Amino acid sequence: MSGQSLLVPGKISPTRPVPASIPRPEYVGKDAPTPYTGPEVQDAETIEKMRIAGRIAAQAMAEAAKHIAPGVTTDELDRVAHEFMCDHGAYPSTLGYRGFPKSLCSSLNEVICHGIPDSTVIKDGDIVNLDVTAFIHGVHGDNNATYLCGEVDEESRLLVERTREALNRAIKAVKPGRQINIIGRVIESYAKRFGYGVVRDFTGHGINSAFHSGLIVPHYDSPHHTTDIKPGMTFTIEPMLTLGTHEYDMWEDGWTVVTKDRRRTAQFEHTLVVTDTGAEILTLP
């Protein structure tokens, strides 16, 4: 296990402005989004719009990732992604979602998900997850990836590599006619080979004009999630694997989720559309 010190909350900078010309999601300025009541299967026009949103989200994440280096703050990564999305006419979906104050999530080391970019300085040996979602033409595209900063220990490097592989295997398992729990079955069976924990309480989700449609995509083998996979469905797969327990604690900010044993965790995510034969990734740069 890495000898790095545990994270503590940093200082959050003022909210970054979004040009008035960029349309906002309906939840901005509200305590919570309006519940989605539309279909999980999307028409061709919506899917094409989601390709655009997904591409911008992927490009924004890649641009922010170029700046990962020792001495850089997570707030600086937020600035880069924020400006990229705004420059491309997209609204950063996380900004103002249930009060979240930033334009991406930055989750380092023991942070499972939903870390708030702040004055935290990235150090050599850290693993850095960036979660970026873009809203444009009325739809969202959501992706994340975990990056290595400098000389990362072998245990952490393998965790990151294998979490990426878990996502890839899950995507290949998506086929019309199968139940959605095939995704978690594939991820958990792979993760167990290495003794990794599989986070259960944070899942993939349906996505379209809604950031979270209500469809749940578990990353563990769940007999309760039996929704049939159909062509045209759009959702995320985003496994979170840990070196130890899947149990977690929440920081006082109400967002930052850390492993209960404070061991490291990694995550990867794509937004997908189900095709007649499998799945197409919509979040490719």
Side-chain angles (χ1 to χ4, degrees), residues 83-142:
E83 292 182 358
F84 185 96
M85 284 185 273
C86 290
D87 287 347
H88 288 78
Y91 185 92
S93 300
T94 60
L95 185 61
Y97 179 79
R98 296 183 181 272
F100 192 83
K102 290 295 172 181
S103 299
L104 58 71
C105 299
S106 55
S107 303
L108 277 58
N109 301 338
E110 71 269 21
V111 179
I112 294 172
C113 58
H114 303 159
I116 301 174
D118 59 17
S119 60
T120 297
V121 175
I122 301 168
K123 299 174 182 175
D124 183 76
D126 284 345
I127 59 173
V128 182
N129 179 269
L130 300 181
D131 193 334
V132 179
T133 309
F135 176 80
I136 189 171
H137 303 316
V139 297
H140 301 266
D142 185 4

Side-chain angles (χ1 to χ4, degrees), residues 3-173:
Q4 296 272 339
S5 58
L6 296 179
L7 293 164
V8 296
K11 183 179 179 181
I12 299 174
S13 66
T15 301
R16 293 190 162 88
V18 176
S21 59
I22 295 177
R24 273 74 169 149
E26 60 82 23
Y27 53 74
V28 174
K30 296 164 54 178
D31 291 338
T34 302
Y36 178 72
T37 57
E40 296 297 346
V41 172
Q42 305 303 309
D43 59 29
E45 181 181 359
T46 301
I47 292 167
E48 184 54 40
K49 290 175 179 177
M50 289 183 67
R51 285 193 183 95
I52 296 169
R55 188 179 311 123
I56 291 172
Q59 291 171 340
M61 185 174 72
E63 194 62 33
K66 292 177 184 176
H67 293 76
I68 294 174
V72 175
T73 65
T74 54
D75 187 64
E76 173 64 10
L77 304 182
D78 181 81
R79 181 194 66 78
V80 172
H82 177 94
E83 292 182 358
F84 185 96
M85 284 185 273
C86 290
D87 287 347
H88 288 78
Y91 185 92
S93 300
T94 60
L95 185 61
Y97 179 79
R98 296 183 181 272
F100 192 83
K102 290 295 172 181
S103 299
L104 58 71
C105 299
S106 55
S107 303
L108 277 58
N109 301 338
E110 71 269 21
V111 179
I112 294 172
C113 58
H114 303 159
I116 301 174
D118 59 17
S119 60
T120 297
V121 175
I122 301 168
K123 299 174 182 175
D124 183 76
D126 284 345
I127 59 173
V128 182
N129 179 269
L130 300 181
D131 193 334
V132 179
T133 309
F135 176 80
I136 189 171
H137 303 316
V139 297
H140 301 266
D142 185 4
N143 68 161
N144 79 54
T146 304
Y147 301 90
L148 310 180
C149 180
E151 294 297 321
V152 174
D153 67 90
E154 181 73 355
E155 186 178 42
S156 299
R157 187 188 64 76
L158 285 172
L159 173 69
V160 171
E161 180 181 300
R162 290 164 177 168
T163 306
R164 181 191 291 111
E165 176 63 16
L167 173 60
N168 291 340
R169 289 175 180 234
I171 292 171
K172 290 176 182 176

Side-chain angles (χ1 to χ4, degrees), residues 172-233:
K172 290 176 182 176
V174 174
K175 306 283 185 188
R178 290 180 171 177
Q179 293 181 339
I180 204 104
N181 56 18
I182 186 66
I183 292 167
R185 193 172 307 133
V186 166
I187 291 169
E188 188 169 45
S189 64
Y190 178 71
K192 278 185 173 179
R193 288 167 47 182
F194 311 104
Y196 295 154
V198 181
V199 173
R200 302 167 78 87
D201 291 340
F202 301 91
T203 67
H205 53 89
I207 184 171
N208 37 64
S209 60
F211 195 169
H212 300 88
S213 72
L215 175 69
I216 295 173
V217 183
H219 303 123
Y220 62 98
D221 189 358
S222 168
H224 306 295
H225 293 85
T226 57
T227 301
D228 288 333
I229 298 172
K230 300 175 182 177
M233 290 177 73

